[in-house]
Amino acid sequence: MENNRAQWGSKIGFILAAAGSAVGLGNIWKFPGKAFEGGGGAYILIYLAIVVLIGFPVMLSELSVGRAAQANAIDSFHKLGYRGFRWVGVTGVAVAFIVTSYYCHVGGWVLRYVVSYITEAQTVYADPLGYFYGLLGYNAATGETWFPLTAILFAAVFMAVNAFIIIKGVEGGIEKFNKVGMPALFVILVVLLVRTVTLDGAQAGFAYMLTCDWSKVGFSTFLSALGQAFFSLSLGMAIMITYGSYLPKHENLGKNTALICTMDTLVALIAGFIIVPAVFATLGSENVGKGGGFAFASLAGVFQNMPGGVFFGVLFYLLLLFAALTSSISLIEGVVAFLTERFGWKRKPTAIIVCTLMFLIGCLYTMSQAAFSIKGIWFDFANGVSFPIFGDFMEFLTDRLLIPVCALGVCIFVGWIWKPENAVREIELDGKPFKLAKVYSVLVKYVAPISILLIIVASFVTGTTLS
Ligand code: PHE
């Protein structure tokens, strides 16, 4: 094991890196569509409650476990004296592995779109959905399919950039990149928000996002919001434990956690208030979609119909690209940190091997988009044969099952085994009393684990998990 653990070079470096991990495709790509589907204001309220009551205590717990143990996510549990809980770290690292493999491919598609808007925006505009399908290897008009070479090449470039930054290390690579990437992201976000606010007809979209339509809310909304909050805050995936372990003892954990949660949630809300009203204004409310096709295909209509659209299109995909990069770096770091510490492997070859493996597994994801989501390359979808493992199933497995289970494990560990008093002691190492100690103990012992459990069980019992 390495004795000289890496540390963040500065406080702001850590905050930006942690916020960079949290702010990602989840906030900009997933949140707006989910908020629209879940009834606008109603979904937002549920989401905020979940962030405060569950997200905050879980993140604080992960950061304090990591900093107390000074180890990667798996060994942290062991080091604090409870081997039995290593499964939480193992699940987290495994989830990080699965998520990164598809996340980096979506990152590759985003990179492709940055280039597309610069070089051939008119082609994208001419047939947005056709362009998106084409990238994934499918021609809707002829039914023809092919190997999605362009998408895979761009994913390879995206992954290579990640590997490069990871190899540079915690302070020299991750921290440095985030110090540039995160401020850039905020600037772009503000520019895009101003653009939306000044669009004719955006008011209806704002009104929708501010009105609570409870008729659209069901158990599945809670589960979806819970999965979304965990995913967005980078919880239940070994990341915050790892990042916490690089944090010096004199840093104030409570404040940092609150700051990261706030930044992440703000970005999600702003993204929602950019995208939903922009679609209302340019395409009409019936066209607010969700998921991948939404960010890639529907938004083309938005940019096409707005003055200066190509410029804002490039800006938007650059925003997505920065957000995706700062997050994928953290995902890979969680896995690399474990392997280098545990087996004493060198950072560089480990990073290369991990990135290559993740990239290859992700290729199945990109390749099965046309097969599963659209039409078969390998599988004959028309005849009812499909193999959804690499389609939406991956997201279901991680967001809605493994991540909540892993977060539940963290709550049980900190709440009942390691005990909140120890977490509070770790939190107070900066010399200041933690004012929310009592509230935190109650949240981590009862409120968070019980709600997580209830939501998982309820959604399975009512069979609404896959909606
Ligand atoms: N939080 C990131 C997002 O919203 C994704 C992520 C999850 C990154 C877990 C790291 C760990 O896109």
Side-chain angles (χ1 to χ4, degrees), residues 168-213:
K168 293 256 171 216
V170 173
E171 194 187 336
I174 303 179
E175 186 167 338
K176 252 197 193 144
F177 180 78
N178 278 292
K179 274 188 176 164
V180 181
M182 287 307 286
L185 187 145
F186 281 109
V187 173
I188 300 178
L189 207 57
V190 171
V191 173
L192 288 172
L193 183 63
V194 171
R195 173 67 278 200
T196 304
V197 171
T198 49
L199 276 180
D200 276 344
Q203 290 78 1
F206 285 113
Y208 180 85
M209 292 292 274
L210 292 170
T211 316
C212 298
D213 180 356

Side-chain angles (χ1 to χ4, degrees), residues 229-276:
F230 283 152
F231 186 86
S232 187
L233 295 167
S234 297
L235 300 176
M237 274 194 245
I239 310 298
M240 290 299 166
I241 299 184
T242 311
Y243 272 25
S245 74
Y246 301 147
L247 196 61
K249 295 282 184 193
H250 56 79
E251 281 302 338
N252 185 317
L253 280 182
K255 270 201 193 129
N256 282 334
T257 307
L259 201 64
I260 299 164
C261 289
T262 311
M263 283 212 261
D264 185 67
T265 306
L266 258 186
V267 173
L269 290 177
I270 298 178
F273 280 98
I274 290 173
I275 292 176
V276 175

Side-chain angles (χ1 to χ4, degrees), residues 28-108:
I28 304 163
W29 181 47
K30 290 188 184 178
F31 182 83
K34 289 197 175 187
F36 176 80
E37 291 248 300
Y43 185 92
I44 293 179
L45 279 186
I46 295 175
Y47 185 81
L48 289 179
I50 289 180
V51 169
V52 174
L53 297 177
I54 308 177
F56 174 79
V58 173
M59 186 184 289
L60 188 53
S61 304
E62 289 200 8
L63 286 173
S64 30
V65 165
R67 198 177 69 173
Q70 288 292 302
N72 60 73
I74 298 180
D75 292 327
S76 282
F77 294 95
H78 191 175
K79 270 201 154 177
L80 294 180
Y82 306 93
R83 277 197 95 210
F85 265 78
R86 284 196 317 180
W87 65 268
V88 178
V90 173
T91 314
V93 171
V95 175
F97 202 95
I98 305 176
V99 169
T100 320
S101 54
Y102 81 77
Y103 202 88
C104 284
H105 276 257
V106 179

Side-chain angles (χ1 to χ4, degrees), residues 319-459:
L319 171 78
L320 263 186
L321 186 69
F322 279 129
L325 258 175
T326 51
S327 299
S328 55
I329 290 171
S330 73
L331 279 161
I332 302 171
E333 176 63 21
V335 178
V336 169
F338 167 68
L339 294 173
T340 49
E341 276 178 33
R342 192 52 195 283
F343 303 111
W345 296 358
K346 295 247 166 316
R347 194 170 177 90
K348 190 168 172 181
T350 311
I352 293 176
I353 294 171
V354 167
C355 288
T356 310
L357 268 181
M358 286 171 165
F359 166 73
L360 290 177
I361 296 175
C363 285
L364 299 177
Y365 175 73
T366 294
M367 284 154 72
S368 60
Q369 287 300 309
F372 173 62
S373 305
I374 318 173
K375 195 198 145 170
I377 301 177
W378 302 344
F379 310 101
D380 189 358
F381 201 62
N383 292 326
V385 186
S386 70
F387 189 62
I389 292 290
F390 290 104
D392 294 346
F393 180 73
M394 251 166 149
E395 197 190 321
F396 165 72
L397 180 73
T398 51
D399 280 27
R400 300 201 172 188
L401 189 64
L402 294 179
I403 295 175
V405 166
C406 187
L408 182 63
V410 171
C411 293
I412 298 178
F413 177 75
V414 174
W416 298 91
I417 312 283
W418 188 43
K419 298 278 162 28
E421 298 81 68
N422 283 311
V424 170
R425 196 165 309 138
E426 179 65 34
I427 295 167
E428 288 178 340
L429 280 184
D430 67 332
K432 298 193 192 80
F434 178 43
K435 291 198 196 91
L436 294 175
K438 285 232 170 63
V439 181
Y440 166 69
S441 303
V442 174
L443 289 178
V444 77
K445 266 185 119 152
Y446 305 104
V447 180
I450 293 174
S451 339
I452 298 174
L453 201 64
L454 268 184
I455 296 176
I456 300 177
V457 172
S459 68

